[in-house]
Amino acid sequence: MKYFTGLLSFIFLLVVGSITLISIAPHNDAKMRGFTPCTYEMGVKLSDPRMNVGLMYAFRVVMQSYVCYGKVIKDGVQLWLNGEIEKPWDNYLFEPEIWEVPSELEEPFSDDLLRANKLDSDGEVFQF
């Protein structure tokens, strides 16, 4: 009984540690490192307008992303064991590089722009 409790405690700590690691890691890296590809793929699947996103579909996509997160963690541990990275969490915890729009490419938000877009839409008015 003592070994079973220890095994369950180990599994519980492993799951809680993984969820904590996934929660604090960056998910918006421009270089698509760490958990970013998994999060991006999940977002694309859940926002696809062609799919009828029901509860079971959403649950399946989220579970697939956690399998992907597990593969990223496994790869990071293997890189650490092979001596390719210094610490096992270097593959997940890093300063993300965020892509920013250059100021010359930014379009100012104004009421005139909104009116022009409504006129260009051939009578269709999009509501958000």
Side-chain angles (χ1 to χ4, degrees):
M1 186 68 168
K2 181 173 24 173
Y3 297 112
F4 183 70
T5 306
L7 179 65
L8 283 180
S9 299
F10 175 74
I11 292 171
F12 177 76
L13 288 175
L14 191 65
V15 169
V16 168
S18 299
I19 291 173
T20 303
L21 178 66
I22 292 167
S23 298
I24 63 175
H27 291 262
N28 59 343
D29 185 44
K31 293 182 179 178
M32 298 295 276
R33 298 175 290 174
F35 299 121
T36 306
C38 303
T39 304
Y40 178 77
E41 183 180 340
M42 178 178 61
V44 167
K45 286 181 179 178
L46 289 177
S47 65
D48 188 359
R50 294 172 291 158
M51 300 300 288
N52 184 9
V53 180
L55 182 62
M56 290 309 295
Y57 177 77
F59 180 74
R60 191 175 329 120
V61 169
V62 170
M63 288 298 106
Q64 288 172 354
S65 72
Y66 271 91
V67 169
C68 181
Y69 294 152
K71 290 177 184 175
V72 172
I73 291 172
K74 181 186 75 119
D75 292 344
V77 170
Q78 284 179 340
L79 288 171
W80 176 63
L81 290 174
N82 293 336
E84 296 178 36
I85 57 177
E86 188 176 323
K87 294 173 263 181
W89 52 84
D90 284 345
N91 195 35
Y92 336 107
L93 301 178
F94 51 84
E95 188 66 34
E97 184 176 307
I98 300 173
W99 187 79
E100 295 180 15
V101 178
S103 60
E104 61 270 5
L105 296 178
E106 287 183 357
E107 191 171 334
F109 180 77
S110 68
D111 290 331
D112 294 335
L113 180 63
L114 286 175
R115 275 190 236 106
N117 285 339
K118 285 182 182 179
L119 291 175
D120 290 340
S121 67
D122 295 328
E124 289 184 42
V125 177
F126 298 104
Q127 296 183 4
F128 298 102

